[in-house]
Amino acid sequence: AFRVLYLPIGVLGVGAGVVTTARLARAAALGDFKAMSGSVTSAIRYLLFLCVPATVGLIVLARPVVRLLFERGRFGPDDTEATATVLALYGIGLVAYSSVKVLASSTYALSRPRIAVMGDFNVAPAEADVWDPQLCHGGTHVSPDERRAFAALCDWGLTDSYRQLHPEPERYSWW
């Protein structure tokens, strides 16, 4: 399913990113932040204009596309159904995924390649993050391996923003 999603990402997202990168680099070199903002805005509008219909197409045509491309041999109708469902769900993220190339280019043009990673890693990094540590001890999201992996991410410079914003006791990120 993800390979099918690569087509609109590659054509639309990468295309917009390549064109925008040159504009952003030129504007950044001149210190023209208004032009940079305009370039990013234009690229995102372009992506919305093209990716929203592509998203609808991926959702509506997921089954026939998957059937045409993959259904043969050991890849049967049940596989088509499962893959088409995943493709339709992936399609929902097409605008955001295609925008990454444009947004990443803007951080590089500013010589600030560090970007925010937003999301939920579903890990309780410390006992203070769990309402009942004894109940959860050793379970999923609180295991020593997961906590070490999370700590490694923080060592790269990522920040546990919840704990940073709420250091007080009895503020749990994991119930």
Side-chain angles (χ1 to χ4, degrees):
F2 203 69
R3 289 179 189 222
V4 175
L5 189 66
Y6 275 148
L7 178 65
I9 289 170
V11 172
L12 305 175
V14 173
V18 168
V19 171
T20 305
T21 299
R23 289 181 183 164
L24 289 170
R26 188 177 321 109
L30 298 172
D32 189 351
F33 300 112
K34 187 174 182 179
M36 288 184 72
S37 176
S39 292
V40 170
T41 301
S42 293
I44 298 298
R45 284 185 180 154
Y46 160 82
L47 288 172
L48 283 169
F49 180 74
L50 294 174
C51 288
V52 169
T55 295
V56 172
L58 282 171
I59 292 169
V60 171
L61 299 173
R63 279 161 190 72
V65 166
V66 171
R67 188 176 303 116
L68 175 71
L69 293 175
F70 302 113
E71 193 173 309
R72 65 182 67 73
R74 294 178 63 189
F75 195 99
D78 291 339
D79 301 313
T80 295
E81 187 65 29
T83 305
T85 300
V86 171
L87 177 59
L89 293 172
Y90 278 163
I92 294 168
L94 179 61
V95 173
Y97 207 120
S98 296
S99 299
V100 168
K101 180 69 174 156
V102 171
L103 297 173
S105 296
S106 66
T107 65
Y108 293 127
L110 291 169
S111 298
R112 296 182 189 146
R114 299 182 93 179
I115 58 173
V117 176
M118 295 182 281
D120 185 355
F121 287 98
N122 282 325
V123 174
E127 298 294 308
D129 295 304
V130 181
W131 175 70
D132 186 349
Q134 294 303 326
L135 182 66
C136 298
H137 181 73
T140 305
H141 311 303
V142 295
S143 73
D145 288 339
E146 290 164 313
R147 287 182 170 172
R148 276 192 296 277
F150 188 82
L153 290 174
C154 291
D155 289 344
W156 289 353
L158 297 181
T159 302
D160 180 358
S161 58
Y162 182 82
R163 189 51 57 207
Q164 186 176 359
L165 294 171
H166 303 285
E168 60 273 9
E170 298 187 13
R171 291 294 298 257
Y172 308 112
S173 60
W174 191 258
W175 290 86

